[in-house]
Amino acid sequence: MNMRAPDPGPVRTTCPYCGVGCGVLATPDHLGGATIAGDREHPSNFGRLCSKGSALGETLALDGRLLHPEIDGRRVSWDDALDETASGFRRVLDAHGPGAIAIYLSGQLLTEDYYAANKLFKGFLGSANVDTNSRLCMSSSVAGHKRAFGSDTVPGTYRDLETADLLVFVGSNAAWCHPVLHQRMLAARAARGTRFVVIDPRGTATSEEADLHLPIASGTDAILFSGLLVALAERGAVFASYVADHTEGFDAALIRARELAPSVDAVAAACGVEAAKVAAFYDLFAATERAVTLYSQGVNQSAQGTDKVGAILNVHLATGRIGREGMGPFSLTGQPNAMGGREVGGLANTLAAHMEFDAESIEKVRRFWGAPRMARAPGLKAVEMFEAIGRGEIKALWVMGTNPAASLPRADAVSTALRKLDLFVVSENVASNDTVNAGARIRLPAAAWGEKDGTVTNSERRISRQRPFLALPGQARPDWWAVAQVGRRLGFEDAFGWRTPGEVFREHAALSAFENDGTRDFDIGALAGLDTRDYDQLRPTQWPARQSAVRDETRFFAKGGYFTPNRRARFVAVAPITPGAGTDDAYPYRLNTGRVRDQWHTMTRTGKSPRLGSHLPEPFLEIHPDDAAREGVADGGFARVTSPHGAVVLRAKVDPGARRGAPFAPIHWTGETSSSGRVGALVHAVTDPFSGQPDAKATPVAVAPVSFPLQGFALARSGLGGLDAAAWWAKAAAPGGHGLLFALAAEPEVAALFPHMAPDDELVEYVDAARRVRRIAMFRNGALEACLFVGPARPESSWTYLRDKLGARLTDGQVRGLLLAGRASDGAATGPLVCACHGVPKGEIERAIASGCGDAAAVGAATRAGTNCGSCLPEIRRMLAAQRVVVEA
Ligand SMILES: Nc1nc2c(c(=O)[nH]1)N[C@H]1C(S)=C(S)[C@@H](COP(=O)(O)OP(=O)(O)OC[C@H]3O[C@@H](n4cnc5c(=O)[nH]c(N)nc54)[C@H](O)[C@@H]3O)O[C@H]1N2
Ligand SMILES: Nc1nc2c(c(=O)[nH]1)N[C@H]1C(S)=C(S)[C@@H](COP(=O)(O)OP(=O)(O)OC[C@H]3O[C@@H](n4cnc5c(=O)[nH]c(N)nc54)[C@H](O)[C@@H]3O)O[C@H]1N2
Ligand code: SF4
Ligand SMILES: [Mo]
């Protein structure tokens, strides 16, 4: 394993968040932190970083880290933890067979970690119960690719997004979720006039930048794209010779498309969107050869996800717009190594290295691995896996790099199921999250970003190195190492004898090329011979990277050459659907879920950053004004959202951009960070029939108002305590401390909230008993140590003001103004950060606009807002537009 001290100077590594895969230059400060900059030489970002990437330095502190192996809450040695893990799996395997063991992996692991885990379970323990959170993320794309192409191939490259004339975003909020790539597309548009079409039920930062937004009813994408196929056929836009030479099944697909989508009007009615918009989209697509369709979770996370992918691929196959400059379908991957996991074969229904569970592949892989006990059939997919755990059929589980007790559908049922396991092992960076807290007996401390050493593959098939720039803290170790150690303890010394991640990578690369001969798309044989130095210095490399081939073309399928038996692509006749099915009187709404700009998943890392915590600090429900009025939910009030599986309470954001009947909630808050914001608890376990991917964006729910007599917040530099069980709360990182936003029925206990209050802390208090207002500021050695604001109204401006003041020395006037009036007397209450990169709050941008800045560029020049990653530009433009309305009115 790699224990060498990190080299001084900037280290080239890769961002651990989204699938864009930006290159990062990290310069360690030798105090455990680092300064972070974009890598100008990396072909994903050419130096840019988004707000999350820029804030990586704020996530490196060791508080909250799991730093030592533990069994039953006791600190133990690695030897003991590994012995116990190995013997536990051995015991369950011997007693109940390979169907009783499972491992649940993550697209945030390195390829090397993934490879080791897949090999151990599928080749040496005989179990294909190896699944991953990519099941919740990319599996419909994988299934759709395999069905149409015979392989899980992303045909295009990022460059195509810059050389296209039309970009169609389907179920993608790229402005927030793939920000640097979105910025590249916007820059290209400025140069060549690219048209943007966004297909998303709700208005988003991405749709705000679009020329055309189709706010379709959720789940109706396959109808929209079937209608497009019909329209292309009618307009003679089909590329007949490509269809004839390289595909099959076109006629059947078109017949089905005509049944589903006979006319523009029929599409408009089924999709719940204006016919003129549908027609405009079809016209644009038919007329624009250089068209890329980008899609993400609005497509994948659906009961018809694979068919949605199929309907999108159909229109690209029909027009031959695939694998050529500026054209093609493009699945945007979510996690930094979603692609690496697919390459390794880390899904339960693939074997390894883009090989399936056919007899020939099983034999091939068996020989390559020298494997004693091959899994011979696909294992259980994530949702089924956790259901089998709930039924007691799977008895031993290892969770690595994911938080299923928060992120799986029916998350409360998942937490309950986890407690039934005989053996529950978690490899984690953090000491506490919803999964660890669901009864993990063995806790293995994993290396985190900055310490990890290996490779990841981004959305365009580009393999980049994650390099360590910090020493491994405490007893933390790489995940591949822990897997290998367990493999050795189970008697497989040779097969798991790797000493470095480079050795694992070389083996992975060799397997990709093993008896491949052009039969499999995934071939990185050219990298199988890297020595340690080459591996350490590996530059971002796109595959295919075959041993023999000249490496010039990295796109696929411009001239056919699909990986089906007859090398033809298969058109898919998509299945009919019933839009809106599943809702009823008890659960009349469809809950849409997804992401916000500045948080990453369950917030174990981004939740540490004060800058990132400022933009949207609380779990919320975005709801259309008509729906809110019907249910009596007020803007800024609270809404209880209930499904048959669970309930949450969220701050209501009444927003005309929401689609009627389809409120939206972000997925980021958990039991760690909120009292009742676990949105995963609501989500139904409906899955796509081909991919097994959960339909996470359309759960039938009920919405009802909740009111709390009191609201407020607490801030403390250290040791913020808790509230009673009936209170609503959300944690938010604050500069120099911690914050808690809350709502409750009775005044909170000061002593319980501030357990670290010292006798000589100076307490300044304002109480207005009649109005139920109470404001406390606590000073230690003259600096603001903690504060508590409680009252009937939402104390927003004092929160945003005081959040930045922990540790500050306030003037008497400031203190008085705050405590008496509940707001800053110096007019400095500035609102949430709009620009997280440069820390520019809303108030400052409003002042810039009021003082005459007429466009986003002027605002940028005056305040720096929007001049780094640009993710906040849609919001700045919205503020400019609102200002214009005010001025004109
Ligand atoms: N800031 C941030 N960025 C991230 C992540 C993060 O946690 N935070 N996570 C990363 C990961 S792992 C992933 S998978 C990606 C996800 O990236 P995206 O898929 O872009 O993000 P989501 O917000 O999950 O969903 C995208 C949109 O799908 C829409 N949608 C819902 N139902 C439908 C439908 O039926 N049809 C259509 N056309 N649209 C629909 C939603 O309204 C939503 O706006 O983001 C990655 N990037
Ligand atoms: N309702 C709903 N549910 C969803 C989604 C949705 O849109 N709506 N999106 C789905 C999607 S696309 C995804 S990708 C998932 C994400 O869901 P999760 O994967 O459950 O979310 P994360 O917070 O990323 O969890 C990663 C965990 O691994 C730890 N970790 C990070 N790096 C490492 C490492 O290198 N080694 C180890 N051992 N641990 C590490 C982190 O501390 C964290 O606890 O959520 C899915 N669930
Ligand atoms: S776009 Fe942002 S989150 Fe994604 S890889 Fe780049 S810096 Fe990281
Ligand atoms: Mo994802």
Side-chain angles (χ1 to χ4, degrees):
M1 64 175 298
N2 191 339
M3 298 275 278
R4 82 192 141 75
D7 301 322
V11 173
R12 287 211 137 76
T13 183
T14 311
C15 176
Y17 298 126
C18 83
V20 176
C22 296
V24 168
L25 290 179
T27 311
D29 61 8
H30 303 290
L31 300 167
T35 38
I36 300 296
D39 180 356
R40 286 177 192 284
E41 290 177 24
H42 198 288
S44 295
N45 56 322
F46 301 104
R48 283 178 190 269
L49 292 177
C50 76
S51 52
K52 293 183 298 300
S54 309
L56 273 165
E58 291 179 24
T59 66
L60 300 173
L62 295 179
D63 53 299
R65 278 287 295 276
L66 179 66
L67 291 173
H68 301 274
E70 289 176 9
I71 300 180
D72 293 327
R74 277 176 302 109
R75 192 182 278 193
V76 298
S77 67
W78 265 104
D79 267 338
D80 288 349
L82 293 164
D83 287 346
E84 185 83 5
T85 302
S87 63
F89 275 106
R90 165 65 66 213
R91 211 173 326 118
V92 174
L93 191 59
D94 289 348
H96 305 283
I101 64 170
I103 188 162
Y104 187 58
L105 305 168
S106 163
Q108 291 162 76
L109 297 171
L110 301 170
T111 300
E112 292 74 4
D113 304 325
Y114 241 125
Y115 179 83
N118 196 54
K119 179 179 179 183
L120 177 65
F121 272 70
K122 287 182 185 156
F124 292 75
L125 302 181
S127 177
N129 289 337
V130 178
D131 215 39
T132 135
N133 62 1
S134 284
R135 180 71 57 196
L136 320 179
C137 181
M138 308 313 314
S139 61
S140 295
S141 285
V142 174
H145 287 153
K146 284 189 191 171
R147 199 157 57 143
F149 305 154
S151 59
D152 175 20
T153 315
V154 174
T157 67
Y158 288 165
R159 190 179 146 76
D160 297 326
L161 308 176
E162 294 171 322
T163 55
D165 295 314
L166 171 64
L167 295 174
V168 183
F169 297 79
V170 197
S172 156
N173 187 7
W176 279 9
C177 296
H178 298 91
V180 166
L181 206 50
H182 191 246
Q183 286 300 313
R184 283 178 62 176
M185 296 183 253
L186 289 174
R189 169 163 82 172
R192 66 185 289 137
T194 320
R195 302 299 205 89
F196 284 26
V197 176
V198 170
I199 298 162
D200 192 311
R202 65 190 187 110
T204 62
T206 310
S207 73
E208 279 169 23
E209 297 283 347
D211 301 284
L212 178 64
H213 174 208
L214 275 66
I216 62 168
S218 79
T220 61
D221 305 73
I223 297 176
L224 183 69
F225 278 85
S226 294
L228 177 54
L229 188 66
V230 173
L232 292 168
E234 278 168 3
R235 285 165 219 216
V238 171
F239 188 166
S241 64
Y242 190 90
V243 172
D245 295 345
H246 302 303
T247 73
E248 64 183 19
F250 176 73
D251 293 341
L254 184 59
I255 290 169
R256 174 61 56 76
R258 287 205 167 107
E259 289 164 15
L260 297 180
S263 66
V264 166
D265 288 334
V267 170
C271 297
V273 64
E274 292 155 55
K277 289 190 173 176
V278 176
F281 167 46
Y282 290 177
D283 286 343
L284 256 179
F285 197 94
T288 316
E289 181 167 41
R290 286 190 170 207
V292 175
T293 308
L294 303 103
Y295 58 94
S296 190
Q297 299 315 336
V299 169
N300 293 328
Q301 287 172 346
S302 159
Q304 311 84 30
T306 308
D307 270 0
K308 287 185 180 181
V309 172
I312 291 169
L313 300 185
N314 281 351
V315 299
H316 282 274
L317 291 171
T319 49
R321 293 179 192 159
I322 187 164
R324 288 189 283 147
E325 174 98 48
M327 309 175 205
F330 202 107
S331 147
L332 287 169
T333 57
Q335 298 175 92
N337 201 27
M339 289 288 263
R342 285 150 70 170
E343 290 157 16
V344 157
L347 288 159
N349 54 323
T350 43
L351 175 58
H354 284 207
M355 283 178 269
E356 308 294 320
F357 280 97
D358 54 275
E360 194 190 330
S361 298
I362 294 172
E363 177 53 20
K364 217 178 262 183
V365 176
R366 187 194 65 74
R367 278 189 285 118
F368 181 86
W369 279 343
R373 191 169 184 177
M374 288 295 290
R376 307 219 156 248
L380 296 180
K381 301 179 177 125
V383 170
E384 302 165 334
M385 181 187 278
F386 284 80
E387 285 170 356
I389 293 168
R391 289 191 303 271
E393 290 161 19
I394 291 177
K395 296 172 192 302
L397 174 73
W398 191 346
V399 172
M400 192 177 281
T402 175
N403 193 357
S407 59
L408 271 173
R410 297 175 63 235
D412 289 348
V414 168
S415 302
T416 309
L418 289 170
R419 295 178 187 283
K420 295 193 183 165
L421 287 161
D422 293 344
L423 178 71
F424 180 14
V425 185
V426 168
S427 291
E428 249 305 332
N429 292 156
V430 297
S432 174
N433 70 14
D434 288 3
T435 301
V436 171
N437 299 341
R441 262 199 70 217
I442 305 184
R443 304 174 181 189
L444 304 176
W449 185 78
E451 303 145 19
K452 295 205 287 190
D453 189 359
T455 56
V456 292
T457 309
N458 74 1
S459 293
E460 60 159 358
R461 289 175 273 102
R462 196 180 293 280
I463 299 169
S464 295
R465 290 280 275 111
Q466 268 196 22
R467 295 186 176 88
F469 55 88
L470 299 169
L472 289 169
Q475 295 288 309
R477 294 288 178 271
D479 290 307
W480 67 264
W481 177 87
V483 173
Q485 288 296 320
V486 169
R488 290 186 207 180
R489 281 167 169 76
L490 288 166
F492 314 119
E493 279 85 5
D494 292 344
F496 295 91
W498 312 296
R499 284 154 305 158
T500 65
E503 290 177 6
V504 186
F505 183 80
R506 279 195 286 280
E507 186 180 312
H508 161 65
L511 176 57
S512 77
F514 186 62
E515 298 177 8
N516 185 325
D517 306 319
T519 55
R520 308 193 298 270
D521 63 333
F522 177 60
D523 186 337
I524 54 166
L527 306 180
L530 301 182
D531 61 21
T532 304
R533 204 183 126 89
D534 298 335
Y535 176 75
D536 279 345
Q537 295 179 353
L538 182 67
R539 287 175 165 275
T541 304
Q542 205 169 21
W543 64 260
R546 299 183 199 285
Q547 178 84 65
S548 48
V550 210
R551 267 188 279 156
D552 50 354
E553 179 55 282
T554 56
R555 295 187 183 90
F556 284 87
F557 310 141
K559 301 194 178 84
Y562 292 92
F563 294 91
T564 51
N566 62 9
R567 309 232 70 162
R568 285 169 176 273
R570 295 182 285 237
F571 278 92
V572 170
V574 302
I577 59 154
T578 320
T583 49
D584 57 22
D585 289 349
Y587 301 106
Y589 298 96
R590 272 179 177 277
L591 181 70
N592 181 3
T593 61
R595 292 156 170 78
V596 303
R597 191 188 76 191
D598 288 350
Q599 294 298 347
W600 176 263
H601 296 169
T602 68
M603 285 168 54
T604 57
R605 287 171 287 169
T606 47
K608 286 179 152 183
S609 159
R611 255 197 294 169
L612 298 180
S614 168
H615 186 236
L616 294 166
E618 293 169 299
F620 62 87
L621 184 75
E622 184 181 287
I623 182 167
H624 190 273
D626 294 353
D627 296 342
R630 186 177 318 106
E631 303 301 339
V633 169
D635 188 36
F638 292 87
R640 182 184 311 281
V641 188
T642 320
S643 84
H645 314 291
V648 301
V649 178
L650 306 169
R651 178 80 74 179
K653 267 185 200 294
V654 177
D655 185 342
R659 194 180 156 89
R660 275 188 197 81
F664 171 88
I667 58 174
H668 306 291
W669 281 268
T670 64
E672 281 293 295
T673 47
S674 68
S675 59
S676 50
R678 277 168 48 83
V679 164
L682 302 174
V683 177
H684 61 187
V686 172
T687 56
D688 175 87
F690 302 97
S691 66
Q693 179 156 353
D695 181 47
K697 293 199 163 8
T699 301
V701 295
V703 176
V706 183
S707 59
F708 295 96
L710 296 173
Q711 301 197 44
F713 66 86
L715 285 158
R717 290 174 80 178
S718 66
L720 193 55
L723 299 163
D724 68 61
W728 184 95
W729 54 264
K731 283 185 190 161
H738 304 276
L740 198 60
L741 290 143
F742 57 74
L744 29 61
E747 272 200 26
E749 291 230 18
V750 177
L753 263 175
F754 304 119
H756 296 316
M757 213 160 53
D760 40 358
D761 285 346
E762 189 194 343
L763 216 93
V764 191
E765 186 166 7
Y766 167 84
V767 181
D768 178 342
R771 287 171 49 227
R772 302 192 72 185
V773 170
R774 184 170 189 200
R775 305 185 187 118
I776 300 176
M778 240 160 60
F779 295 86
R780 187 169 296 172
N781 305 324
L784 185 67
E785 177 67 21
C787 57
L788 171 68
F789 273 54
V790 194
R794 191 176 180 199
E796 188 161 28
S797 69
S798 19
W799 159 256
T800 50
Y801 177 74
L802 277 170
R803 195 182 161 269
D804 294 333
K805 296 291 181 290
L806 283 173
R809 286 166 200 283
L810 302 182
T811 63
D812 285 350
Q814 284 172 321
V815 174
R816 223 173 304 119
L818 264 169
L819 294 186
L820 289 174
R823 66 185 138 75
S825 52
D826 53 6
T830 45
L833 288 189
V834 171
C835 173
C837 298
H838 291 305
V840 188
K842 193 169 176 190
E844 196 175 330
I845 295 170
E846 279 167 352
R847 280 196 291 277
I849 296 172
S851 71
C853 294
D855 59 20
V859 171
T863 66
R864 298 181 77 202
T867 56
N868 182 43
C869 82
S871 324
C872 60
L873 287 171
E875 196 164 337
I876 294 172
R877 290 199 190 103
R878 201 181 325 128
M879 289 168 70
L880 283 157
Q883 188 76 8
R884 274 194 290 279
V885 173
V886 173
V887 171
E888 281 155 19

